[in-house]
Amino acid sequence: GFLTNEARAEWFRTAKVLKEMQLLTPADRAALAAYCTAYGRWVEAEKQVQKYGTIVKSPNKGFPMKSPYLTVADQALDI
């Protein structure tokens, strides 16, 4: 599949809960996949933010800048 390990784990966790609540139908597959993809992206980006911090040096001049991983994490949360 196209889901990362983090996204796949979230798929199984969320699908189980939604099935128990009788809220999951075959029509929800794409929406659940999109959510899990965004979740997986967020987790991976947050790992990098923890590793490198929220502020990094720009590649060309070394000035402080917002971490690109933080931008990815924020965008995944918005999704």
Side-chain angles (χ1 to χ4, degrees):
F2 60 90
L3 296 177
T4 64
N5 289 340
E6 292 288 349
R8 188 174 295 111
E10 184 65 5
W11 171 281
F12 289 113
R13 187 195 70 76
T14 304
K16 180 182 177 189
V17 171
L18 292 174
K19 283 181 185 178
E20 289 171 359
M21 297 172 67
Q22 298 180 338
L23 295 174
L24 187 63
T25 70
D28 299 316
R29 182 175 181 234
L32 183 56
Y35 159 72
C36 292
T37 299
Y39 176 82
R41 189 171 294 147
W42 173 74
V43 168
E44 292 300 320
E46 284 295 328
K47 287 178 184 178
Q48 298 305 314
V49 169
Q50 289 176 7
K51 183 176 180 178
Y52 297 109
T54 57
I55 303 297
V56 297
K57 291 182 180 181
S58 66
N60 50 357
K61 299 222 180 196
F63 294 117
M65 62 178 267
K66 179 180 176 181
S67 168
Y69 295 114
L70 186 57
T71 300
V72 171
D74 290 346
Q75 289 172 345
L77 283 178
D78 286 343
I79 292 170

